[in-house]
Amino acid sequence: MGALPRGEIPLDPDAGPLFEFAAGLRKLREQAGRPTYRDLARKTHYGIATLSSAAAGRQLPSLAVTLAYVRACGGDEREWKLIWQRTADACTGADTSTGTGPENRRTSGATPPYVGLATFREADAAFFFGRERLTGALVEHLMEKRILVLFGASGSGKSSVLRAGVLPAFPDVPSLVFTPGPNPLEECAARLAARAGIAPGPVHAELTAEPRTFHRTVRQILAMQQEEGPSADELLVVVDQFEEVFTLCRDARERERFVTALVHAAQAPDSRTRVAIAVRSDFYTHCTRLAALVDVLPHAHHPVGPMTAEELRAAIVQPAARSRLTVESALLTTLIADAHGRPGALPLLSHALLETWKRRRGNALTLAGYRAAGGIEGALGQTAEEFHTALNDSRQQAARRLFLRLVALGEGTEDTKRRVPRQELDSTPDTEFVLEQATRARLLTADADHVEITHEALIRCWPRLGTWLDQDRSQERLHRALTEATTLWESLNHDPDTLYRGVRLAAAKDLPREALTARERAFLDASEAAARQARERDRRRLRRLRRLSGALAALLVCAVATAAFAVRAQNTLTRQRNEAVALRAADEAVRLSQHKPSLAVQIALAAYRQTRHERTRDALLNTLSVTSIGPATAGPERSGRAPLQHTPAGHTPAVPADGRVLAMADGSKIVLWDMKNPRQPRRLGTTEGAGLGPIQFTRDGNTLLGVDSEGTLRLWDVTDPRRPRALSKRPTDHSGYVYSVAVRPDGRVAATGSYDDTIRLWDISDPARPRMLDQLTGHDGDVKPVVFSPDGKTLASGSNDHDVRIWDVSDPRHASLVARLTGHEHFVDALAYSPNGRTLLSGSDDHTARLWDISALPGHSGLGRLARHTDIVTSVAFASHGRTAVTVGIDGVVKAWDMTDRTRPVPLANLTNPRGTVKEVRYLKADGTFLTVTAHHGVQIWYTDVDRALADACDRVHGTITRIQWSRYFPRLAYAPPCPHRL
């Protein structure tokens, strides 16, 4: 190798693959002119000891350290990434084999025939067996239809069959393989730009402005390659882990543009793109809400089921045979029995086989080795536990923080893995050590830029991780929000307006300091500094008031006439102090309502009694609403919350006129609930469907209508809601997604609004045989909400053309346009008639809700805008008495309005939904009770009657607030629990 650099210890030739790896690094450093390790440390920002040990040959350095070393020496990072991976695989086989025979020692550097938790890659195709029939079907599907949406349970092998099965079937076709991440358009642009050899910025800008640019860019890339020489005239795009567009991407518009780009590229008449998408099956209903994907799903989707016994036999035996290994017959029988019929068991099977290979006897994989590894159920958990047990206390804490950060908490779905940028992690010695060891154990996958859990099976199969998630779930949601806020603050150059204040700052301060990264601590420190400045300003104001009080007291000595004035000033000061305390307590009550509902109710009630203010009123209504679903005897930990299986959930609600029944559409079924007592909903019956979307009751509540993802109109008899009965189904013949359905009050006519820019009217007087009456055209964009007037003579529709149109449907066979209401600056998403039919309320993407006077059609006039939301207004509703209305939106705010004087609506309550984005609102009964549905399918019950809230509040309390708790939230106020003697 030539002379060694001064001070380096000679390498040990018996170190196997580590010797070759370290020798290569030393040669690279020599070719770079033998820079000192101090110079390398300055370039890489790693320590001298870390870099020198990387080339010492004693242990394999992390991939990040390796690539930094190579980069500083001017080497080829891509080549060294492959060298590092090969060395890591060889070390795994050498270090962990526990076989005792001589054959094991001779093959200690062998490459394992199984990939464990990792996904099969295209390079692993030679070891990929058992999915030949599925691979053939998918290849044939892609050849015929150009777009494939592959649905399967987590662990069913979706990613592997695409990467190691489908990709090799297109050997001469270039491919683009990626996962969407939090910014799918940006990721897509980066991959396209790298393929074209251009900067990603312009490509991203073009895709954002016009998603169809994807198709043109692909054609340009292929044309450039053909000019350089013979090449394929197509590109195969594989989007793995597509569910990340829902779990990680927070921008609904970017999500829509990304999907539009993919679908258009595959379906354009001159398409040069084939698209394969892999998505978890529990995200099917999420996919049906993407307009661009809904149209292609019926012919593009393909399920991945569990492997047959013969397929499992091939997957187990054939890779071993290729490596000249044998599988003991008893082991084969046990493996097939353990894995057969379990769609999510493949990564567990692969990991168990890898661990069994490490414990092989000679060239045989044995049942004893399999059992020593822990079997299919325990192998993964055993590997994770061995990794955890080998860490000292501080590193175990670092491991807990790291793994929790790598999980995306589910909202109505299972938890998923989260791909985390390295810059989000602190580069502490403990974190780097844990990351390196977890990567070696194949629990984590890391590259130069990102870290992620190798497979989601780890979340299910490692009990310790499950315990961490259960213990810290609410805390992790707060932490995740803090991480996102920190990233936003940094991206906006530390803009002070993005700092936490009030309730959010108080909640974030409860997070353990050691769990935060340096970035997050800096963000919180800046927020706290800003809060201290605000408090200092308040203190200066208070000191001025005190000096005024002191001056008045001094004047009392001088003149008796000024005594009354001084007393009043002191009372004012005391009142202002008490008011400030009450307002702060109200904010705290809202923050606590999700975690300590009983305490939150008492704090909010005491604050309202202390100070009658809009904020204390809203806090009281918020805390009662948060704890409103479920029996009042639920106990202190789940006060007011029903068990999950007894709680309504879904994406679209429907309520008949009497408000006694609730229907919730959730994917392939509709569940009916008894809502006579909204605090104790009772499950009744269930209907079946296929990707159900909008639903609606007839006014008498005896018939339920719905439209599924295939555009089929379905009707059910729900006279007995415990046993709903299908009446009919027929195609609506809409050429676009059906967004809404409405029923005329007499129950004889229905309307459907569609993304094909039309409205269709239906005769449903005979529910068993619905027939179309008329088609209404005129909108220049997707038709969204449709709603009948209370007298059934008119129909209002909203559209993406920003207009509201009113149609005369007195004769539904010959409907005609009556009026066109203009004024919204963006899509119209929601409509509601007042009970007397004289007023129309509309909600829009322009963040406003507008009132319209339509009492003298065709004459009409705008009555003005309600106070703005900070994001899209998704739903609006009038109470049956017409005196109140509610607007909700993406911003998670629920606004209630007093509509007694429709020309001057008065805010009745400004509530915050604790579960985030609110998509729907429906009134239940005339007493003002209403429900909202969040984007994550959560249902929340609300009411805005303060007198009723005051009467009911103490019924929701379990355990009286203690003196210590009182002093924390009401300092300097006498202890006066609002609900004494509560057990």
Side-chain angles (χ1 to χ4, degrees):
M1 240 189 82
L4 290 170
R6 186 175 61 186
E8 288 198 300
I9 300 172
L11 295 172
D12 178 8
D14 294 329
L18 286 177
F19 168 84
E20 297 176 6
F21 184 88
L25 284 180
R26 292 188 179 188
K27 183 176 181 181
L28 182 64
R29 179 179 168 224
E30 190 170 325
Q31 291 171 346
R34 290 189 196 170
T36 66
Y37 279 110
R38 186 176 302 279
D39 291 337
L40 292 180
R42 199 159 35 241
K43 291 180 181 179
T44 63
H45 303 292
Y46 281 98
I48 294 173
T50 300
L51 294 170
S52 62
S53 64
R58 292 188 295 273
Q59 62 181 16
L60 184 67
S62 70
L63 178 59
V65 171
T66 302
L67 294 180
Y69 190 113
V70 170
R71 193 182 307 119
C73 294
D76 186 337
E77 291 183 51
R78 184 175 298 180
E79 177 188 0
W80 273 94
K81 185 175 181 180
L82 295 175
I83 293 172
W84 183 92
Q85 188 63 57
R86 286 198 300 268
T87 307
D89 290 342
C91 289
T92 300
D95 295 341
T96 59
S97 180
T98 59
T100 57
E103 296 87 354
N104 287 68
R105 289 191 289 273
R106 285 197 300 270
T107 61
S108 63
T111 300
Y114 306 104
V115 298
L117 289 179
T119 297
F120 278 90
R121 300 161 297 182
E122 190 172 3
D124 302 317
F127 292 91
F128 184 65
F129 292 94
R131 285 296 197 185
E132 291 80 4
R133 185 176 59 179
L134 175 62
T135 299
L138 298 183
V139 171
E140 182 179 351
H141 180 111
L142 271 175
M143 294 296 290
E144 291 180 0
K145 301 179 181 178
R146 305 195 72 85
I147 184 166
L148 166 69
V149 184
L150 193 62
F151 285 98
S154 176
S156 60
K158 304 180 296 298
S159 302
S160 294
V161 77
L162 288 180
R163 293 171 185 255
V166 173
L167 282 178
F170 293 86
D172 300 322
V173 177
S175 60
L176 209 64
V177 184
F178 65 96
T179 56
N183 305 107
L185 269 184
E186 183 178 329
E187 185 70 23
C188 184
R191 299 305 178 106
L192 279 176
R195 173 74 63 176
I198 58 178
V203 180
H204 183 214
E206 291 178 6
L207 281 178
T208 302
E210 175 48 71
R212 291 175 174 82
T213 303
F214 185 98
H215 166 59
R216 293 196 294 272
T217 305
V218 169
R219 296 195 61 188
Q220 290 170 2
I221 292 172
L222 295 174
M224 289 165 50
Q225 292 177 346
Q226 288 173 347
E227 288 177 2
E228 296 171 359
S231 64
D233 62 349
E234 287 196 334
L235 179 70
L236 177 57
V237 178
V238 176
V239 184
D240 199 3
Q241 298 174 34
F242 183 76
E243 59 271 11
E244 288 183 355
V245 302
F246 305 107
T247 61
L248 300 182
C249 178
R250 302 300 183 192
D251 188 339
R253 287 193 178 91
E254 179 171 3
R255 187 183 306 140
E256 290 280 0
R257 291 189 183 110
F258 175 62
V259 174
T260 299
L262 295 176
V263 173
H264 176 263
Q267 293 194 318
D270 54 348
S271 171
R272 294 291 183 271
T273 309
R274 299 184 191 274
V275 177
I277 295 171
V279 59
R280 267 181 27 191
S281 53
D282 54 332
F283 283 86
Y284 181 87
T285 55
H286 294 67
C287 292
T288 62
R289 292 176 213 140
L290 296 172
L293 203 55
V294 164
D295 293 336
V296 302
L297 273 181
H299 62 266
H301 82 280
H302 198 294
V304 178
M307 297 175 80
T308 65
E310 284 304 313
E311 289 172 333
L312 287 169
R313 181 187 302 275
I316 296 166
V317 173
Q318 294 296 337
R322 274 193 175 270
S323 297
R324 299 182 180 180
L325 300 170
T326 61
V327 179
E328 196 176 72
S329 59
L331 171 62
L332 179 61
T333 302
T334 302
L335 284 169
I336 293 175
D338 288 349
H340 188 246
R342 297 178 58 183
L346 296 186
L348 303 181
L349 173 65
S350 184
H351 181 77
L353 282 166
L354 176 62
E355 293 300 311
T356 304
W357 176 83
K358 295 175 184 178
R359 295 163 173 82
R360 64 195 181 279
R361 183 177 298 118
N363 67 340
L365 275 65
T366 65
L367 181 61
Y370 172 70
R371 286 174 173 165
I376 196 170
E377 292 289 348
L380 178 53
Q382 181 172 310
T383 299
E385 273 304 300
E386 288 173 355
F387 149 78
H388 184 266
T389 303
L391 304 174
N392 60 28
D393 290 345
S394 66
R395 287 170 177 170
Q396 285 182 355
Q397 289 302 314
R400 175 173 181 157
R401 294 192 293 269
L402 175 61
F403 277 88
L404 287 176
R405 191 177 286 273
L406 295 175
V407 176
L409 301 177
E411 294 284 0
T413 60
E414 292 182 358
D415 296 336
T416 57
K417 64 179 183 177
R418 175 173 175 256
R419 195 161 178 249
V420 172
R422 276 187 175 269
Q423 66 198 42
E424 188 178 308
L425 306 176
D426 272 345
S427 297
T428 64
D430 282 349
T431 301
E432 290 294 332
F433 182 87
V434 168
L435 183 55
E436 183 173 343
Q437 294 304 312
T439 303
R440 286 192 179 185
R442 301 195 180 192
L443 302 175
L444 300 182
T445 300
D447 57 26
D449 301 315
H450 294 87
V451 179
E452 64 181 332
I453 290 173
T454 302
H455 199 282
E456 287 166 356
L458 180 66
I459 303 174
R460 303 192 305 270
C461 297
W462 189 13
R464 184 183 298 275
L465 179 55
T467 301
W468 289 344
L469 288 167
D470 290 340
Q471 290 174 346
D472 296 344
R473 185 165 292 269
S474 60
Q475 181 175 294
E476 277 304 304
R477 293 190 195 280
L478 286 173
H479 196 171
R480 202 58 44 74
L482 173 62
T483 302
E484 293 175 1
T486 301
T487 303
L488 176 63
W489 177 62
E490 290 179 340
S491 69
L492 296 178
N493 199 23
H494 297 180
D495 184 348
D497 288 340
T498 61
L499 294 172
Y500 272 2
R501 291 176 174 81
V503 175
R504 290 195 299 173
L505 176 58
K509 286 168 62 179
D510 287 342
L511 292 171
R513 192 78 175 174
E514 63 276 7
L516 307 182
T517 64
R519 300 166 56 245
E520 293 160 352
R521 287 194 292 271
F523 174 78
L524 276 187
D525 290 343
S527 297
E528 181 62 23
R532 281 197 301 270
Q533 292 174 0
R535 288 196 297 270
E536 182 58 33
R537 287 194 297 270
D538 291 342
R539 278 196 291 270
R540 287 197 297 268
R541 194 177 301 116
L542 189 60
R543 282 197 297 269
R544 285 197 296 270
L545 285 172
R546 285 175 176 168
R547 284 196 294 269
L548 173 61
S549 178
L552 291 174
L555 289 175
L556 179 62
V557 178
C558 303
V560 176
T562 60
F565 183 74
V567 170
R568 282 198 302 271
Q570 184 62 45
N571 290 341
T572 299
L573 181 63
T574 302
R575 186 173 64 254
Q576 290 175 341
R577 182 204 67 195
N578 293 349
E579 180 177 331
V581 169
L583 294 179
R584 282 197 299 271
D587 291 341
E588 286 290 309
V590 174
R591 183 180 68 83
L592 290 169
S593 58
Q594 279 286 280
H595 317 295
K596 299 178 180 178
S598 177
L599 177 60
V601 168
Q602 295 179 81
I603 294 172
L605 181 57
Y608 183 76
R609 288 177 177 175
Q610 176 64 44
T611 301
R612 302 295 177 97
H613 188 279
E614 293 176 358
R615 278 167 59 186
T616 56
R617 175 202 64 197
D618 293 345
L620 178 60
L621 295 174
N622 257 307
T623 55
L624 287 173
S625 296
V626 167
T627 58
S628 62
I629 298 179
T633 59
E637 294 302 316
R638 290 192 56 83
S639 173
R641 300 184 189 177
L644 293 180
Q645 64 270 26
H646 301 308
T647 302
H651 57 80
T652 306
V655 180
D658 61 11
R660 293 175 176 271
V661 177
L662 167 66
M664 289 299 302
D666 186 10
S668 62
K669 65 180 182 298
I670 300 174
V671 181
L672 299 169
W673 297 85
D674 182 346
M675 300 298 287
K676 294 186 183 71
N677 181 358
R679 296 187 182 282
Q680 296 178 296
R682 186 166 57 88
R683 186 169 179 146
L684 297 172
T686 303
T687 73
E688 297 300 325
L692 287 162
I695 57 175
Q696 187 62 270
F697 279 102
T698 55
R699 186 174 183 82
D700 59 11
N702 292 333
T703 306
L704 180 65
L705 288 78
V707 181
D708 63 23
S709 59
E710 297 178 353
T712 302
L713 179 66
R714 295 170 176 263
L715 287 84
W716 294 271
D717 180 354
V718 290
T719 306
D720 181 357
R722 290 170 297 182
R723 285 178 287 276
R725 180 172 58 88
L727 293 173
S728 64
K729 62 178 181 178
R730 62 149 293 164
T732 60
D733 296 326
H734 280 294
S735 60
Y737 173 69
V738 179
Y739 184 91
S740 57
V741 62
V743 182
R744 202 166 71 177
D746 63 4
R748 301 177 64 84
V749 178
T752 54
S754 168
Y755 280 8
D756 63 6
D757 305 351
T758 69
I759 304 160
R760 295 187 178 224
L761 298 178
W762 304 88
D763 180 354
I764 58 169
S765 53
D766 181 358
R769 284 178 291 277
R771 58 191 180 89
M772 195 178 85
L773 297 171
D774 197 4
Q775 176 173 284
L776 311 184
T777 60
H779 279 295
D780 294 329
D782 300 343
V783 175
K784 287 190 167 178
V786 292
V787 59
F788 282 98
S789 63
D791 61 8
K793 295 180 180 179
T794 61
L795 174 78
S797 61
S799 166
N800 282 0
D801 62 10
H802 307 180
D803 292 347
V804 177
R805 294 178 181 241
I806 299 181
W807 313 81
D808 182 351
V809 291
S810 302
D811 181 358
R813 292 178 181 81
H814 304 93
S816 60
L817 182 66
V818 176
R820 178 168 168 257
L821 283 54
T822 61
H824 278 299
E825 299 171 2
H826 217 301
F827 304 161
V828 178
D829 300 304
L831 292 172
Y833 275 97
S834 63
N836 61 14
R838 295 164 55 85
T839 307
L840 187 67
L841 176 59
S842 60
S844 166
D845 272 28
D846 64 11
H847 305 181
T848 69
R850 287 179 175 266
L851 286 168
W852 311 87
D853 181 352
I854 54 170
S855 57
L857 291 172
H860 61 274
S861 62
L863 296 174
R865 297 188 306 187
L866 301 181
R868 288 175 64 93
H869 283 256
T870 59
D871 211 319
I872 296 170
V873 177
T874 54
S875 187
V876 298
F878 270 101
S880 59
H881 50 61
R883 294 189 299 274
T884 59
V886 177
T887 61
V888 300
I890 297 292
D891 56 9
V893 175
V894 178
K895 293 179 180 284
W897 304 89
D898 183 343
M899 304 295 290
T900 306
D901 182 353
R902 62 179 184 155
T903 63
R904 282 187 289 275
V906 177
L908 197 60
N910 190 61
L911 310 174
T912 302
N913 193 300
R915 301 177 187 180
T917 296
V918 185
K919 299 292 287 184
E920 301 284 352
V921 59
R922 300 288 188 277
Y923 270 94
L924 291 175
K925 296 191 294 186
D927 65 358
T929 303
F930 61 92
L931 66 82
T932 58
V933 180
T934 70
H936 306 299
H937 297 191
V939 175
Q940 197 71 24
I941 307 294
W942 309 81
Y943 57 81
T944 55
D945 185 339
V946 176
D947 291 336
R948 178 179 170 187
L950 293 171
D952 293 351
C954 287
D955 293 337
R956 316 300 299 169
V957 170
H958 301 272
T960 301
I961 184 172
T962 66
R963 290 182 178 274
I964 294 175
Q965 291 170 328
W966 179 272
S967 63
R968 177 180 178 184
Y969 298 107
F970 297 98
R972 302 178 66 184
L973 293 185
Y975 177 59
C979 302
H981 312 304
R982 293 281 167 172
L983 299 178

